[in-house]
Coordinates of all heavy atoms in Angstrom, one line a residue:
V1237 N 18.8 -9.1 -20.9 CA 20.2 -8.8 -20.9 C 20.5 -7.4 -20.4 O 21.5 -7.1 -19.9 CB 20.9 -8.9 -22.3 CG1 20.9 -10.4 -22.7 CG2 20.2 -8.1 -23.4
M1238 N 19.4 -6.6 -20.4 CA 19.5 -5.2 -19.9 C 19.6 -5.2 -18.4 O 20.2 -4.2 -17.8 CB 18.3 -4.4 -20.3 CG 18.3 -2.9 -20.1 SD 16.8 -2.2 -20.6 CE 15.9 -2.4 -19.1
R1239 N 19.2 -6.3 -17.7 CA 19.1 -6.3 -16.3 C 20.5 -6.0 -15.6 O 20.6 -5.4 -14.6 CB 18.7 -7.7 -15.7 CG 17.2 -7.9 -15.9 CD 16.9 -9.3 -15.4 NE 15.6 -9.7 -16.0 CZ 14.4 -9.4 -15.5 NH1 14.4 -8.6 -14.4 NH2 13.3 -9.8 -16.0
E1240 N 21.6 -6.4 -16.4 CA 22.9 -6.2 -15.8 C 23.3 -4.7 -15.8 O 24.2 -4.3 -15.1 CB 23.9 -7.0 -16.6 CG 25.2 -7.2 -15.8 CD 26.3 -7.8 -16.7 OE1 26.1 -8.2 -17.8 OE2 27.4 -7.9 -16.1
H1241 N 22.6 -4.0 -16.6 CA 23.0 -2.6 -16.8 C 22.0 -1.6 -16.2 O 21.8 -0.5 -16.7 CB 23.2 -2.3 -18.3 CG 24.1 -3.4 -18.8 ND1 25.4 -3.5 -18.5 CD2 23.8 -4.4 -19.7 CE1 25.9 -4.6 -19.1 NE2 25.0 -5.2 -19.8
V1242 N 21.2 -2.0 -15.2 CA 20.3 -1.1 -14.5 C 20.7 -1.2 -13.0 O 21.5 -2.1 -12.6 CB 18.8 -1.5 -14.6 CG1 18.3 -1.3 -16.1 CG2 18.5 -2.8 -14.1
I1243 N 20.3 -0.2 -12.2 CA 20.7 -0.3 -10.8 C 20.2 -1.6 -10.2 O 19.2 -2.1 -10.6 CB 20.1 1.0 -10.0 CG1 18.6 1.1 -10.3 CG2 20.8 2.2 -10.4 CD1 17.9 2.0 -9.4
S1244 N 21.1 -2.1 -9.3 CA 20.8 -3.4 -8.8 C 19.5 -3.5 -7.9 O 19.0 -4.6 -7.7 CB 22.0 -4.0 -8.0 OG 22.3 -3.1 -7.0
S1245 N 19.0 -2.4 -7.4 CA 17.8 -2.4 -6.6 C 16.5 -2.4 -7.5 O 15.4 -2.4 -7.0 CB 17.8 -1.3 -5.7 OG 18.1 -0.1 -6.4
A1246 N 16.7 -2.3 -8.8 CA 15.5 -2.3 -9.7 C 14.9 -3.7 -9.8 O 15.6 -4.7 -9.7 CB 15.9 -1.8 -11.1
R1247 N 13.6 -3.8 -10.1 CA 13.0 -5.0 -10.3 C 12.1 -4.9 -11.6 O 11.4 -4.0 -11.7 CB 12.0 -5.3 -9.2 CG 12.5 -5.3 -7.8 CD 12.9 -6.7 -7.3 NE 13.3 -6.7 -5.9 CZ 14.5 -6.4 -5.5 NH1 15.4 -5.8 -6.3 NH2 14.8 -6.4 -4.2
I1248 N 12.3 -5.9 -12.5 CA 11.6 -5.9 -13.7 C 10.9 -7.3 -13.8 O 11.6 -8.3 -13.8 CB 12.4 -5.6 -14.9 CG1 13.3 -4.4 -14.7 CG2 11.6 -5.4 -16.2 CD1 14.4 -4.2 -15.8
H1249 N 9.6 -7.3 -13.8 CA 9.0 -8.6 -13.9 C 7.9 -8.6 -15.0 O 7.2 -7.6 -15.2 CB 8.4 -9.2 -12.6 CG 8.3 -8.2 -11.5 ND1 9.3 -8.1 -10.6 CD2 7.3 -7.4 -11.1 CE1 8.9 -7.2 -9.7 NE2 7.7 -6.8 -10.0
Y1250 N 7.7 -9.7 -15.7 CA 6.7 -9.8 -16.8 C 6.1 -11.2 -16.8 O 6.6 -12.1 -16.3 CB 7.4 -9.5 -18.1 CG 8.4 -10.5 -18.6 CD1 8.1 -11.7 -19.1 CD2 9.8 -10.1 -18.5 CE1 9.1 -12.6 -19.5 CE2 10.8 -11.0 -18.9 CZ 10.5 -12.2 -19.4 OH 11.4 -13.1 -19.8
V1251 N 4.9 -11.2 -17.5 CA 4.3 -12.4 -17.9 C 3.8 -12.3 -19.3 O 3.6 -11.2 -19.8 CB 3.0 -12.8 -17.0 CG1 3.4 -13.2 -15.6 CG2 2.0 -11.6 -17.0
I1252 N 3.7 -13.4 -20.0 CA 3.2 -13.4 -21.4 C 1.7 -13.7 -21.3 O 1.3 -14.7 -20.8 CB 3.9 -14.4 -22.3 CG1 5.4 -14.1 -22.4 CG2 3.3 -14.4 -23.7 CD1 6.2 -15.1 -23.2
T1253 N 0.9 -12.7 -21.6 CA -0.5 -12.8 -21.4 C -1.2 -13.4 -22.6 O -2.3 -13.9 -22.6 CB -1.2 -11.5 -21.1 OG1 -0.7 -10.5 -22.0 CG2 -0.8 -11.0 -19.7
N1254 N -0.5 -13.3 -23.8 CA -1.1 -14.0 -25.0 C 0.1 -14.4 -25.8 O 0.9 -13.6 -26.2 CB -1.9 -13.0 -25.8 CG -2.4 -13.6 -27.1 OD1 -2.3 -14.8 -27.3 ND2 -3.0 -12.8 -28.0
G1255 N 0.2 -15.7 -26.0 CA 1.4 -16.2 -26.8 C 1.0 -16.9 -28.1 O 1.7 -17.7 -28.7
G1256 N -0.3 -16.7 -28.5 CA -0.7 -17.3 -29.7 C -1.8 -18.4 -29.5 O -2.1 -18.7 -28.3
E1257 N -2.3 -19.0 -30.6 CA -3.4 -19.9 -30.4 C -3.0 -21.4 -30.5 O -3.4 -22.2 -29.7 CB -4.5 -19.7 -31.5 CG -5.0 -18.3 -31.6 CD -5.9 -17.9 -30.4 OE1 -6.4 -18.8 -29.8 OE2 -6.0 -16.7 -30.1

Side-chain angles (χ1 to χ4, degrees):
V1237 293
M1238 193 184 86
R1239 288 178 197 278
E1240 197 186 0
H1241 312 290
V1242 296
I1243 51 169
S1244 55
S1245 50
R1247 304 265 186 283
I1248 310 171
H1249 13 268
Y1250 61 77
V1251 289
I1252 298 177
T1253 49
N1254 176 11
E1257 303 291 336

